[in-house]
Amino acid sequence: MPGAPGSEAGPAAPGLIMDIDIAVVPVAGLGTRLLPATKSQPKEMLPVGRKPVVQYVVEELARVGVKQLLFVTGPGKTSIENHFDLNPELIQTLRETGKEELLQELAFERAAVQFFYTRQRQLLGLGHAVLCARSFVGRRPFIVALGDSIIGMHAESDVVRRMARCFLERDALAVVAFEEVPRDEVVHYGIAAPRSAGDVFEIGDVVEKPAREEAPSTLAIAARYVFSPEIFDALERTPPSKGGEIQLTDAIRTLIQEGGRAYGVRLKADEPRYDIGNIDAYFRAFVEFALADSRHGAAIRRHLETLLHVPHP
Ligand code: UTP
């Protein structure tokens, strides 16, 4: 089994336990589109509002009952491991210096999740990163959650729970989260060809980054997946795409072409995906989270209104 057990703490929150309780979080990518911010720090550790992006991802997974979480990491990513360690010295210092109110900011350290880490030793794409989890996952169904994407304001989304339910009820090999995007943006995403309508639909095909005119729909893959371990065999058989990367989308396509069932679950209107992979999306996400901050949001809003010359009533 790759990686080493990390911190394990606290009892599970009641009523949240799912049958699928293992998640793989790929965080090995270089994040070149966010240079220079990502030159010496992982993009997954960039803050959105008060927290690093990957903390929202872990909190979302812990909330729906994930018990074991494997990070697929790479060079320069150790700050992610450090972030999820228990830090008794810091807790002690906050107590001794009378900053007890800040202790709640460290509550995430006590999430009932056991952390594991393995390295993607060559950056051969997202599909390859998932393949690195094979011996850890074994024969269990599992979740994949991209470490650079938050689902829902404050990560308040239960889409993974809905996906796990769909996976179990429909005997699927893959369940993928989708959100509608403007047609001009399909070139950035894996896009579904749905076989049916509705919030949960059967996927007839998925195409990675299609041209605008060739996209079968405007339903874009949204950073969350539930897989049967069959996906590993499909990944092994998936040749690298033009850019030399093994695409997770291509492996899902193989599963479908070989007769496996795959379903899409749409994100709800109140659970947008914040993918911070490029500067524009990162800025937008930060502004939205800052505006939604319970303590500072109102002041930031007034400041922005002043900057933008919005007349005050
Ligand atoms: P991206 O597709 O945004 O790629 O990764 P990237 O390499 O991080 O970023 P750019 O294109 O250089 O700007 C989506 C998620 O998949 C992980 C990333 O860490 C991110 O969380 N990933 C991507 C891997 O773990 N390994 C890879 O080889 C590629």
Side-chain angles (χ1 to χ4, degrees), residues 257-269:
Q257 284 170 352
E258 292 174 354
R261 275 202 288 263
Y263 291 89
V265 172
R266 281 174 191 260
L267 296 181
K268 293 180 186 159

Side-chain angles (χ1 to χ4, degrees), residues 15-16 50 54 77 88 125 137 143 162 173 265 281 294:
L16 294 179
R50 287 167 182 250
V54 71
K77 302 281 181 169
V137 168
I143 296 155
R162 304 201 302 275
L173 294 187
V265 172
S294 58

Side-chain angles (χ1 to χ4, degrees), residues 25-34 43-44 72-73 77 120 122-130 145-149 209 245 275 277-278:
V25 180
V27 291
L30 290 177
T32 49
R33 286 168 293 160
L34 293 176
K43 76 168 158 183
E44 296 82 4
V72 182
T73 78
K77 302 281 181 169
Q120 184 184 14
Q122 267 185 299
L123 287 185
L124 295 178
L126 177 60
H128 180 257
V130 171
L146 303 195
D148 67 350
S149 297
K209 301 188 175 71
E245 297 199 332
D275 162 1
N278 63 71

Side-chain angles (χ1 to χ4, degrees), residues 4-312:
S7 59
E8 187 180 21
L16 294 179
I17 296 159
M18 297 194 300
D19 290 334
I20 303 169
D21 61 2
I22 169 171
V24 174
V25 180
V27 291
L30 290 177
T32 49
R33 286 168 293 160
L34 293 176
L35 281 169
T38 48
K39 182 162 178 283
S40 62
Q41 68 177 329
K43 76 168 158 183
E44 296 82 4
M45 283 299 291
L46 291 177
V48 171
R50 287 167 182 250
K51 302 175 192 174
V53 174
V54 71
Q55 185 180 327
Y56 291 104
V57 177
V58 170
E59 288 175 348
E60 174 200 334
L61 295 174
R63 213 176 292 125
V64 295
V66 166
K67 291 283 165 299
Q68 293 190 319
L69 190 154
L70 175 73
F71 284 111
V72 182
T73 78
K77 302 281 181 169
T78 43
S79 61
I80 297 176
E81 300 176 34
N82 296 340
H83 190 70
F84 293 101
D85 276 348
L86 281 166
N87 194 333
E89 294 83 16
L90 180 56
I91 292 170
Q92 182 73 10
T93 305
L94 292 177
R95 288 218 168 96
E96 285 172 4
T97 53
K99 294 178 181 159
E100 300 265 340
E101 80 282 0
L102 292 178
L103 286 175
Q104 69 185 32
E105 302 299 339
L106 298 178
F108 73 94
E109 289 183 354
R110 295 192 296 280
V113 177
Q114 188 177 17
F115 294 103
F116 298 82
Y117 303 91
T118 192
R119 302 264 289 206
Q120 184 184 14
R121 295 166 70 198
Q122 267 185 299
L123 287 185
L124 295 178
L126 177 60
H128 180 257
V130 171
L131 198 46
C132 293
R134 182 169 203 162
S135 58
F136 175 82
V137 168
R139 298 301 306 158
R140 299 175 282 179
F142 65 106
I143 296 155
V144 172
L146 303 195
D148 67 350
S149 297
I150 305 166
I151 308 291
M153 175 53 63
H154 305 310
E156 279 167 4
S157 163
D158 70 348
V159 70
V160 169
R161 196 200 305 267
R162 304 201 302 275
M163 293 165 70
R165 199 179 304 135
C166 169
F167 181 91
L168 297 169
E169 286 174 2
R170 304 200 186 203
D171 198 20
L173 294 187
V175 179
V176 182
F178 285 93
E179 70 167 359
E180 287 283 357
V181 296
R183 188 157 279 274
D184 284 338
E185 291 179 21
V186 293
V187 291
H188 302 299
Y189 299 101
I191 301 292
R195 273 201 187 124
S196 54
D199 291 340
V200 178
F201 57 89
E202 188 168 1
I203 305 172
D205 196 5
V206 266
V207 195
E208 184 62 20
K209 301 188 175 71
R212 189 183 184 285
E213 309 68 42
E214 282 159 24
S217 76
T218 49
L219 284 166
I221 295 181
R224 300 292 181 267
Y225 310 80
V226 178
F227 288 121
S228 145
E230 314 282 325
I231 192 71
F232 295 122
D233 285 336
L235 282 166
E236 296 272 14
R237 286 184 274 117
T238 300
S241 63
K242 266 183 266 159
E245 297 199 332
I246 296 173
Q247 302 288 354
L248 189 52
T249 307
D250 291 344
I252 298 169
R253 185 172 214 198
T254 304
L255 286 182
I256 297 168
Q257 284 170 352
E258 292 174 354
R261 275 202 288 263
Y263 291 89
V265 172
R266 281 174 191 260
L267 296 181
K268 293 180 186 159
D270 64 351
E271 53 183 8
R273 176 254 300 264
Y274 300 95
D275 162 1
I276 61 115
N278 63 71
I279 296 282
D280 181 70
Y282 177 58
F283 281 2
R284 285 169 194 246
F286 197 101
V287 169
E288 278 194 48
F289 276 65
L291 286 171
D293 189 275
S294 58
R295 212 176 310 156
H296 301 282
I300 294 294
R301 185 174 303 278
R302 281 195 298 278
H303 183 61
L304 288 179
E305 285 170 354
T306 306
L307 285 178
L308 297 171
H309 309 294
V310 176
H312 286 276

